[in-house]
């Protein structure tokens, strides 16, 4: 296979040779996706048919329904066989397309190795680049876009991350710095990690530089936790260098990496330990393939768990739990794992201990494990996981979204978030309290993440009626309410709140997709208005604090 860059064509050599535009190949990929969705629907139809046969058998009219049950069972077996054959066709088509459109990651590694070697020599350092997963094959266009991002990350690691050989030896390290690239594909998701064993990111120094250069207002910086401070290195023109060299201090680098990753609907995160090193983790969608997902239910919400993170599934036995007043632990393979209630972790309900027979899943990620309690296990599915829209892509709980057989959208949880400790916010002893009212789970998650980052304790309500019930029993400093909700919209909710003497002065901010909701909100009694785009741009916390200040709330 050779490439024709300007004409965006692929040449398929079979003697005579064919020329196919990349657009045609992309269109064929879309058709393969449609065929995969048809297979999922066939599986769903088979399950429905199986339920019908079971219902007929339970009616007690076995003789009268025998013929019908026999016919339906035969149709079910045929449907299942057709579904399996369809799956084989989909897999074969995917493998064929991958052979045509992809090439191994190792094809871009030699220039990266050379760049690391030359830059190390130029800066008087020593570094070795190791690669894990070089045999993974990726779309040629994705590789081209990734190449620039990898160059930036490795240059940053050599220049900012690694110490000089003498400094490394004084710190008890090997004189040669270790750079590592790890590439792993899981279904239709690509995970890429670039790490070094250098000095790590000095959070205090980043905070000082951000304040001195006006990257963010001092009050905003004061509210940020360490992870948020580390994320400032992705801001445009941010650099901790005071001098300008050929490789640093120009303010061009990690912001370009984030922009490149987001262009291909990916996500980049950073983790660092001072004195030990830094890791950049990229999660990117791959056009071909599906991912095994375990579907679970909490209340009426369906959620997806990547199967690769699910070590085991079991029903709760109270005898296997160690329960104290504040927490429960599960005894598993000689370890005591913390039990996490998914409904509570998502902010859908108050935390409660699992009951006898409740499903528990052992979730593993990054060397950590938890026992996750859910209300029900629906089953496993092979699903295409898509990136979330830009406005909710930074919500840490979710890896992406998938479409179920009937067209419903389901959020896929991020295993690393599930096993992490809930964020603790340094705030005043009397924590400010916010109520978020929205019938969209993703919108509630977005608002909650932003408010918690600002030191708020956040409660959630999925409807206006539930929010009114909350307001009868709890006190809040501010309410953020969606305009377009079923049963009771935002206007009706605000009017009811203003009718009650005890909530008449409560600050309320209305959120809507449509700009024309501003006047409707003002007329109903809202203190301020934000569009969904404003929220996506990070303006929610600022407006909340402004409104509370005007109303005389704690800010």
């Amino acid at each position: 296979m050779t490439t024709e860059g300007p004409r965006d064509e692929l040449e398929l050599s079979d003697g005579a040779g064919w020329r196919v535009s990349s657009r045609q190949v992309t269109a064929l990929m879309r058709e393969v996706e449609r065929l995969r969705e048809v297979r999922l629907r066939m599986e769903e139809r088979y399950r429905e048919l199986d339920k019908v046969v079971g219902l007929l058998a339970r009616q007690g009219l076995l003789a009268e329904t025998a013929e019908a049950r026999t016919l339906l069972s035969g149709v079910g077996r045929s449907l299942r066989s057709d579904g399996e054959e369809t799956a084989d066709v989909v897999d074969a088509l995917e493998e064929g397309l991958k052979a045509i459109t992809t090439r191994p990651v190792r094809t871009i590694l030699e220039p990266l190795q050379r760049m690391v070697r030359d830059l190390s020599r130029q800066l008087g350092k020593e570094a070795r680049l190791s690669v894990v997963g070089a045999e993974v094959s990726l779309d040629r266009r994705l590789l081209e876009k990734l190449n620039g991002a990898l160059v930036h990350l490795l240059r940053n690691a050599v220049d900012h991350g690694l110490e000089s050989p003498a400094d490394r030896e004084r710190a008890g390290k090997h004189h040669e710095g270790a750079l590592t690239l790890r590439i792993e594909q899981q279904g239709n998701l690509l995970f890429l990690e670039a790490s070094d064993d250098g000095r790590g990111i000095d959070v205090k120094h980043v905070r000082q530089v951000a304040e001195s250069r006006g990257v963010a207002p001092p009050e905003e910086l004061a509210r940020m936790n360490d992870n948020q401070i580390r994320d400032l290195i992705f801001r445009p023109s941010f650099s901790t260098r005071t001098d300008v060299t050929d490789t640093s201090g120009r303010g061009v680098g990690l912001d370009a990496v984030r922009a490149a990753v987001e262009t291909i609907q990916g996500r980049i995160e950073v983790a660092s330990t001072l004195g030990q090193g830094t890791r950049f983790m990229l999660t990117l969608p791959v056009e071909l393939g599906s991912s095994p997902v375990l579907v679970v239910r909490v209340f009426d919400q369906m959620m997806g768990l990547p199967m690769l993170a699910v070590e085991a599934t079991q029903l709760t036995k109270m005898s296997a739990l160690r329960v104290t007043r504040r927490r429960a632990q599960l005894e598993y393979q000689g370890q005591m794992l913390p039990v996490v209630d998914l409904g509570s972790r998502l902010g859908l309900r108050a935390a409660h201990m699992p009951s006898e027979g409740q499903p528990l899943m052992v979730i593993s990620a990054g060397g950590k494990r938890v026992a996750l309690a859910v209300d029900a296990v629906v089953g496993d599915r092979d699903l295409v996981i898509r990136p979330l829209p830009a406005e909710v892509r930074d919500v840490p709980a979710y890896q992406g979204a998938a479409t179920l057989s009937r067209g419903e959208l389901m959020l896929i949880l991020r295993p690393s978030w599930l096993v992490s400790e809930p964020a603790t916010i340094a705030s005043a002893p009397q924590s400010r309290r916010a109520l978020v009212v929205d019938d969209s789970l993703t919108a509630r998650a977005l608002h909650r993440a932003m408010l918690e980052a600002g030191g708020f304790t956040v409660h959630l309500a999925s409807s206006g009626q539930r929010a009114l019930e909350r307001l009868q029993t709890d006190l809040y400093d501010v309410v953020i309410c969606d305009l377009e909700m079923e049963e009771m919209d935002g206007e009706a909710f605000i009017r009811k709140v203003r009718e009650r003497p005890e909530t008449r002065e409560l600050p309320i901010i209305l959120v809507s997709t449509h700009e024309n909701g501003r006047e409707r909100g003002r007329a109903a009694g809202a203190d301020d208005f934000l569009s969904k785009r404003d929220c996506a741009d990070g303006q929610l916390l600022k407006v909340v604090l402004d409104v509370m200040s005007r109303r005389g709330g704690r800010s």
Side-chain angles (χ1 to χ4, degrees), residues 311-553:
E311 276 195 26
T313 303
Q314 62 186 60
L315 299 179
T316 299
K317 292 181 180 178
M318 299 307 292
S319 59
L321 296 183
R322 181 182 296 173
V323 181
T324 63
R325 289 181 57 189
R326 302 186 61 182
R327 65 176 182 171
Q329 292 178 300
L330 172 70
E331 187 176 348
Y332 177 78
Q333 293 184 352
Q335 280 186 291
M336 299 303 296
L337 306 183
V339 176
V340 176
D341 174 44
L342 181 57
S344 169
R345 191 78 166 88
L346 291 171
L348 301 176
R349 64 184 175 210
H352 70 276
M353 297 299 176
S355 55
E356 185 79 24
Q358 184 175 353
L360 278 179
M361 259 129 308
V362 177
I363 305 297
S364 174
K368 297 179 180 179
R369 285 171 167 171
V370 298
L372 189 70
V374 301
D375 293 350
V377 176
V378 179
D380 58 292
R381 305 282 189 273
D382 278 330
L383 301 172
V384 176
I385 300 177
R386 294 295 179 206
L388 290 172
E391 57 268 27
V392 291
R393 197 166 295 160
D394 287 332
V395 177
Y398 305 112
Q399 185 167 286
T403 304
L404 297 174
S405 56
R406 296 180 181 177
E408 321 96 287
L409 191 67
M410 182 180 70
L411 290 167
I412 309 299
L413 292 161
R414 186 184 297 275
S416 58
W417 178 79
L418 290 172
V419 303
S420 64
E421 292 289 334
T424 55
I425 307 296
S427 58
Q430 286 187 305
S431 177
R432 297 167 294 190
R433 293 161 64 87
L435 177 63
V436 174
V437 190
D438 203 303
D439 56 5
S440 164
L441 178 62
T442 52
R444 293 199 300 271
L446 171 68
H447 299 335
R448 180 190 184 195
M450 290 182 177
L451 290 166
E452 285 184 343
F456 282 82
T457 296
V458 184
H459 290 174
L460 307 176
S462 58
S463 69
Q465 187 57 48
R466 289 190 180 181
L468 291 174
E469 293 169 2
R470 281 271 198 181
L471 288 171
Q472 287 180 330
T473 58
D474 293 309
L475 296 175
Y476 295 98
D477 297 285
V478 66
V479 174
I480 296 88
C481 177
D482 185 35
L483 176 61
E484 298 91 3
M485 295 187 293
E486 296 181 5
E487 298 178 11
M488 181 188 297
D489 65 13
E491 286 181 272
F493 168 75
I494 294 173
R495 289 194 175 97
K496 286 186 177 293
V497 172
R498 295 298 183 224
E499 288 171 1
R500 297 177 176 179
E502 62 272 21
T503 57
R504 189 171 293 150
E505 299 302 317
L506 179 63
I508 302 177
I509 297 167
L510 196 65
V511 177
S512 173
T513 306
H514 307 291
E515 187 66 30
N516 60 13
R518 186 181 300 274
E519 293 306 317
R520 294 169 58 190
R522 295 282 189 188
D527 291 273
D528 214 324
F529 172 88
L530 279 170
S531 68
K532 293 288 178 74
R533 183 176 293 277
D534 292 334
C535 292
D537 291 339
Q539 297 183 35
L540 176 63
L541 187 59
K542 176 180 180 299
V543 172
V544 164
L545 295 175
D546 287 346
V547 167
M548 287 175 58
S549 177
R550 293 201 302 270
R551 281 278 188 178

Side-chain angles (χ1 to χ4, degrees), residues 163-175 197-199 274-276:
E163 311 94 330
S164 68
D167 288 342
R168 289 180 62 83
E169 288 179 345
R170 277 193 293 270
K173 300 180 181 180
H174 192 275
H175 62 85
D197 67 344
R199 58 174 60 91
L274 191 62
Q276 296 182 26

